[in-house]
Amino acid sequence: MSRSIEIYGRGRLPPRLETRLAEAFTLHGDPDPFPPEDWLASHGGSVRGLANGSFTPLTAELMDRLPKLEIIASIGVGYDMIDVPAAKARGILVTHTPDVLNADVANYALLLLLAASRDLIHQDSHVRSGGWASDGPSPLTHTLEGRPIGIVGLGRIGRTLARKLEIFGGPILYHGRREQAGVPYEFCPDLYDMARRCAALILCLPGGAGTDGLIDAGVLDALGPEGILINVARGSVVDQPALIEALQSGRLGRAALDVFDDEPDVPQALRDCERVILSPHAASATVETRQAMFDLTADNLIDYFRTGTARTPVPECRDMA
Ligand code: NAP
Ligand code: 8YV
């Protein structure tokens, strides 16, 4: 690979990715989360590739300051923080890291579902606090066996999760913009109807303008006081104030959230709420899966500059790779 190719590593790159990119290219680290004027003036004109953390917004304005940019390699499968139409309009290819994280993200959704339904956090504190010894066992919970479970977004992660949910023996329903061919699960075109029928809803769809606030007060009410909401997708897909209201009032049973509106800031009202399990966007955070994501990010950049073709362009850019 050629050292004459300059790559901009945005956000704090993980060491494994940094090492691979530094071996192949001239790698510029991020000066501060946002590049100051003097950095842009000295490097902006020569950067040809960019590795972007999936929480870091990448705007048209920044692309305009990088006139030689050819490829943005996003570290993660969700790319809602990148202005893809603006990138395409400038001839910039965008790649992401699909599939390599399906199993661990699905496993984490399952973990959150089981923990919420069996009240695991409270069971743990009941023992630690001495409550078990002083007051006896904690209240009974509800089983998931044979209960209907709904997945919103039956894509790569959603399908992986659906297969794992089959162990509970209940109906698996899904909602999306269209029915999927060849899956043994029931398609529900009406999200409210699906929420009414399900014991739990698990969100596995992309963030961004098309899904903003899709899970609104009506969906939460349909899920109801015994219902469980699991979000491993993006905070933006849920109306967060409506969720807080539904949890506080008991109109929604429980929630377990890996993602939030304004990460890493989580509203105090959620942090104070006993009906919710909170997780710091950790669904893909295993050593093995993160290594696979970092390697795929590096491979996309290396392959692109070696052959002109990247391994995993985002769907909107497949005609460019
Ligand atoms: P995917 O294969 O593209 O699947 C997304 C699914 O969402 C598709 O089946 C799509 O079906 C559905 N969908 C899209 N727009 C929709 C809408 N407006 N309403 C309802 N359904 C819609 O993506 P994936 O690889 O499974 O990843 C899904 C998302 O998970 C990512 O975009 C990311 O935001 C999130 N994620 C989070 C973590 C984490 O750490 N918590 C890790 C990885 C991924 P239709 O086209 O039929 O509607
Ligand atoms: C990661 C994610 O936490 O892939 C995604 O869309 O949200 C997660 O896998 C993130 O990408 C880490 O960079």
Side-chain angles (χ1 to χ4, degrees), residues 53-55 75-79 97 101 105 233-234 281 284 290 293:
S54 64
F55 312 139
I75 312 164
V77 66
Y79 51 94
T97 65
L101 39 59
V105 176
R234 286 289 182 265
H281 204 140
S284 70
R290 285 288 166 86
M293 291 164 65

Side-chain angles (χ1 to χ4, degrees), residues 77 153-157 177-178 180 204 206 232 234 258 281:
V77 66
L154 196 74
R156 290 169 291 244
I157 294 168
R177 291 168 299 182
R178 62 188 76 87
Q180 310 277 333
C204 299
V232 292
R234 286 289 182 265
D258 186 45
H281 204 140

Side-chain angles (χ1 to χ4, degrees), residues 48-278:
R48 293 177 61 195
L50 190 156
N52 201 64
S54 64
F55 312 139
T56 317
L58 215 169
T59 61
E61 288 70 39
L62 180 58
M63 294 174 204
D64 285 338
R65 306 301 305 275
L66 308 170
K68 294 220 170 79
L69 188 62
E70 295 169 44
I71 173 169
I72 296 166
S74 185
I75 312 164
V77 66
Y79 51 94
D80 46 304
M81 297 302 256
I82 299 175
D83 187 341
V84 175
K88 263 200 103 169
R90 289 160 180 74
I92 302 167
L93 177 71
V94 180
T95 68
H96 65 153
T97 65
D99 289 317
V100 295
L101 39 59
N102 293 349
D104 270 328
V105 176
N107 287 343
Y108 208 75
L110 198 54
L111 169 72
L112 292 177
L113 175 66
L114 281 164
S117 79
R118 301 303 302 274
D119 230 355
L120 184 66
I121 306 291
H122 295 127
Q123 309 283 22
D124 178 88
S125 53
H126 194 54
V127 178
R128 286 175 200 276
S129 67
W132 185 24
S134 58
D135 307 331
S138 42
L140 299 181
T141 58
H142 288 286
T143 186
L144 286 173
E145 287 297 309
R147 310 282 305 282
I149 298 174
I151 297 176
V152 186
L154 196 74
R156 290 169 291 244
I157 294 168
R159 282 173 194 235
T160 307
L161 173 63
R163 284 193 290 276
K164 292 172 189 274
L165 290 172
E166 289 177 13
I167 55 171
F168 296 118
I172 296 169
L173 294 70
Y174 71 96
H175 171 78
R177 291 168 299 182
R178 62 188 76 87
E179 187 164 6
Q180 310 277 333
V183 293
Y185 314 117
E186 181 185 337
F187 175 57
C188 298
D190 184 333
L191 177 56
Y192 297 91
D193 181 48
M194 182 168 94
R196 237 182 319 274
R197 292 172 55 198
C198 284
L201 271 197
I202 308 180
L203 311 181
C204 299
L205 69 169
T211 59
D212 196 27
L214 186 77
I215 307 301
D216 59 14
V219 176
L220 301 173
D221 282 342
L223 198 49
E226 300 290 335
I228 299 171
L229 180 77
I230 307 296
N231 191 2
V232 292
R234 286 289 182 265
S236 62
V237 307
V238 178
D239 178 340
Q240 194 166 271
L243 173 63
I244 292 170
E245 227 287 295
L247 286 166
Q248 284 175 336
S249 65
R251 289 184 355 259
L252 177 68
R254 304 211 173 268
L257 311 172
D258 186 45
V259 286
F260 304 88
D261 260 352
D262 188 22
E263 298 173 9
D265 291 331
V266 176
Q268 193 62 42
L270 275 180
R271 290 156 64 188
D272 288 341
C273 180
E274 296 231 322
R275 292 169 179 273
V276 65
I277 294 174
L278 305 173

